[in-house]
């Protein structure tokens, strides 16, 4: 832990923003003027630095390349009509980051570095948060093992960094999914609940196979039986059967989503019948056949809520009905209204930077 809140700031001489074409951005490719870097060495966090965004020097023997000791978070900053900028539930991300750190045998990052670092960085690059429907600044805190050496043991040095990328709402096209009956994302006792970089690497191959079949995502099922729905690529999954909303309970295979938690709260606020329990693939398929399966949607920071248009499970293919006033749409609008400071923030989710 550093015993001071000091974050040293070294500003760019001139901003890149004037050369940035905000109308033609590719998600995650453009980065703001500054980044934060903080090194853990000799058992403690050194002073955090905010500096111009740019390359970092690492040796080829750097441990992150060999053993994948790497974790990250994904969050967003939003601008309201008056130009004020907000983070959404940042403490939830900080806590989850440290749960990931613990599981990967990495040091926990103090709140002064994570939250204050985010606030300072976002306010410095405030111009990069655009105001408008679906516009935001995507924030990517991450940590890598930075010790040199190829011995298979936890690193003795780490780099915690934050980089930021302007993001926009784009229509992803229809999303259809394969419900996994073969590959698994995570196993009992593993790292599924952590935002470990390797979890994502491991999902790319099965996801490529799904894409080749014309499906954009996979809904993972439990590794032991493949009978129960768990979550999707970067989203938790909700199912509406009749008028009841279901989502799988958190366990050590599922990432405990901030958006998921927010949707559950909004469902409760709205008096929607909701159950947090395991939902079997058989139950979904039966509901699809008898017409009671109304909606499946994903929740996550990147796209807030993503309605699923159809799914495939083994040989069974099903198209979801088009629903007027869907739960998916209601939650999406309600969440956006809170994020953009257009609605009352009853639960204290917005944090001004
Ligand atoms: C595997 C996985 N599940 C669920 C989520 C959704 O989490 P959140 O709502 O906190 O973005 C994410 C995205 O972070 C994810 O990577």
């Amino acid at each position: 832990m550093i015993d001071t809140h000091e974050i040293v700031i070294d500003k760019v001489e001139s901003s890149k923003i004037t050369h940035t074409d905000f109308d033609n951005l590719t998600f995650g490719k453009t980065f703001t003027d500054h980044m934060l870097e903080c090194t853990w060495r000799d058992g403690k966090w050194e002073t955090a630095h905010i500096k111009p965004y740019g390359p970092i020097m690492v040796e080829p023997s750097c441990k992150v390349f060999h053993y994948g000791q790497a974790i990250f978070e994904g969050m967003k900053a939003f601008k309201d009509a008056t130009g004020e900028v907000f983070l959404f539930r940042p403490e939830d991300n900080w806590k989850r980051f440290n749960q990931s750190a613990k599981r990967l045998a990495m040091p926990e990052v103090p709140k002064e570095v994570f939250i204050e670092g985010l606030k300072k960085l976002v306010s410095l690059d405030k111009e990069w948060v655009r105001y408008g429907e679906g516009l935001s600044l995507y924030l990517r805190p991450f940590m890598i093992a930075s010790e040199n050496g190829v011995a298979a043991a936890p690193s003795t040095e780490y780099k915690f960094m934050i980089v930021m990328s302007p993001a926009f709402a784009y229509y992803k096209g229809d999303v259809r999914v394969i419900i996994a009956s073969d590959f698994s994302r995570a196993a009992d006792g593993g790292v599924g609940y952590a935002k470990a970089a390797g979890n994502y690497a491991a999902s790319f191959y099965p996801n490529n196979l799904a894409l080749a079949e014309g499906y954009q995502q996979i809904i993972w099922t439990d590794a032991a039986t493949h009978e129960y729905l768990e979550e999707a690529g970067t989203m938790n999954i909700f199912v509406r059967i009749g008028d009841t909303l279901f989502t799988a309970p958190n366990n050590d295979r599922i990432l405990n989503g901030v958006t998921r938690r927010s949707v559950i709260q909004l469902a409760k606020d709205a008096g929607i019948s909701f159950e947090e329990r395991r939902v079997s693939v058989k139950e979904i398929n039966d509901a699809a056949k008898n017409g009671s399966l109304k909606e499946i949607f994903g929740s996550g920071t990147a796209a807030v809520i993503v309605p699923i248009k159809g799914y495939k499970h083994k040989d069974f293919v099903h198209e979801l009905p088009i629903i007027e006033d869907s739960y998916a749409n209601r939650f999406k609008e309600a969440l956006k209204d809170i994020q953009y400071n257009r609605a009352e923030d009853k639960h204290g989710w917005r944090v001004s930077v």
Side-chain angles (χ1 to χ4, degrees):
M1 289 276 235
I2 53 170
D3 49 12
T4 154
H5 294 203
E6 191 197 17
I7 296 177
V8 174
I9 301 180
D10 170 21
K11 287 192 195 168
V12 291
E13 278 172 13
S14 69
S15 173
K16 297 178 290 201
I17 201 161
T18 43
H19 315 294
T20 304
D21 179 1
F22 280 86
D23 295 327
N24 289 297
L25 293 170
T26 305
F27 175 75
K29 283 286 192 188
T30 302
F31 291 89
T32 65
D33 290 323
H34 300 93
M35 64 182 189
L36 179 141
E37 184 176 339
C38 190
T39 301
W40 193 84
R41 195 181 280 132
D42 298 329
K44 63 175 185 3
W45 288 103
E46 299 182 345
T47 303
H49 287 263
I50 288 179
K51 53 171 84 168
Y53 177 90
I56 55 170
M57 290 272 284
V58 283
E59 289 195 20
S61 66
C62 185
K63 283 207 170 173
V64 66
F65 298 139
H66 303 274
Y67 304 112
Q69 234 189 333
I71 59 169
F72 66 100
E73 268 304 324
M75 38 205 305
K76 282 178 171 174
F78 304 89
K79 191 171 262 180
D80 75 5
T82 69
E84 197 178 349
V85 175
F86 300 92
L87 304 177
F88 184 71
R89 309 189 73 169
E91 286 216 6
D92 292 33
N93 294 87
W94 169 61
K95 287 181 186 151
R96 189 170 68 188
F97 191 80
N98 281 342
Q99 282 162 4
S100 302
K102 193 170 175 196
R103 181 62 183 81
L104 275 284
M106 302 169 97
E108 294 183 18
V109 174
K111 194 169 170 183
E112 293 84 348
V113 175
F114 192 101
I115 304 275
E116 293 311 311
L118 272 170
K119 285 184 180 172
K120 284 214 159 73
L121 194 57
V122 171
S123 64
L124 192 61
D125 284 346
K126 223 172 184 159
E127 285 306 305
W128 293 82
V129 197
R130 302 307 243 204
Y131 169 66
E133 189 54 36
L135 302 181
S136 63
L137 187 63
Y138 183 77
L139 316 174
R140 170 52 63 89
F142 66 101
M143 176 163 38
I144 56 166
S146 53
E147 185 194 359
N148 298 321
V150 295
S155 178
T156 58
E157 269 182 43
Y158 295 89
K159 266 189 200 307
F160 169 69
M161 302 190 67
I162 307 173
V163 295
M164 313 196 294
S165 176
F168 52 92
Y170 58 92
Y171 180 60
K172 280 189 165 177
D174 291 348
V175 175
R176 290 184 175 76
V177 297
I178 290 186
I179 299 182
S181 54
D182 186 356
F183 288 104
S184 302
R185 174 186 178 274
D188 290 344
V191 295
Y193 70 92
K195 230 165 144 58
N199 285 342
Y200 299 81
S203 72
F204 293 161
Y205 174 66
N207 213 68
N208 277 348
L209 298 181
L211 283 171
E213 271 196 74
Y215 293 88
Q216 290 69 36
Q217 297 252 345
I218 296 174
I219 292 185
W220 301 105
T221 46
D222 67 294
T225 68
H226 292 296
E227 280 176 21
Y228 294 93
L229 302 194
E230 301 228 297
E231 62 172 329
T234 54
M235 299 186 298
N236 295 105
I237 288 292
F238 287 83
V239 175
R240 173 181 172 189
I241 299 176
D243 282 337
T244 302
L245 189 66
F246 299 91
T247 196
N250 285 314
N251 58 38
D252 59 4
R253 301 179 302 271
I254 296 180
L255 193 87
N256 183 353
V258 179
T259 321
R260 172 190 182 278
R261 202 171 309 143
S262 308
V263 167
I264 293 173
Q265 185 62 54
L266 292 176
K268 288 182 177 164
D269 291 351
I272 288 172
S273 160
F274 167 72
E275 288 181 35
E276 187 174 7
R277 69 148 167 88
R278 299 209 296 176
V279 180
S280 71
V281 184
K282 180 175 182 309
E283 203 176 343
I284 304 278
N285 289 347
D286 288 348
K289 286 172 198 159
N290 72 25
S292 60
L293 179 63
K294 301 260 183 70
E295 297 179 53
I296 303 178
F297 60 86
S299 70
T301 297
V304 192
I305 302 289
V306 176
I308 306 296
K309 297 275 178 184
Y311 75 89
K312 179 179 171 197
H313 175 249
K314 297 184 176 162
D315 294 332
F316 182 66
V317 176
H318 181 71
E319 282 287 300
L320 274 294
I322 294 168
I323 306 257
E324 291 283 317
D325 190 27
S326 65
Y327 286 177
N329 207 41
R330 280 162 67 178
F331 293 132
K332 183 165 189 162
E333 290 309 311
L335 278 170
K336 285 196 306 181
D337 284 346
I338 296 170
Q339 290 169 335
Y340 288 103
N341 193 18
R342 298 189 294 239
E344 187 199 350
D345 179 23
K346 275 202 281 189
H347 303 286
W349 292 340
R350 278 192 302 260
V351 173
S352 184
V353 304

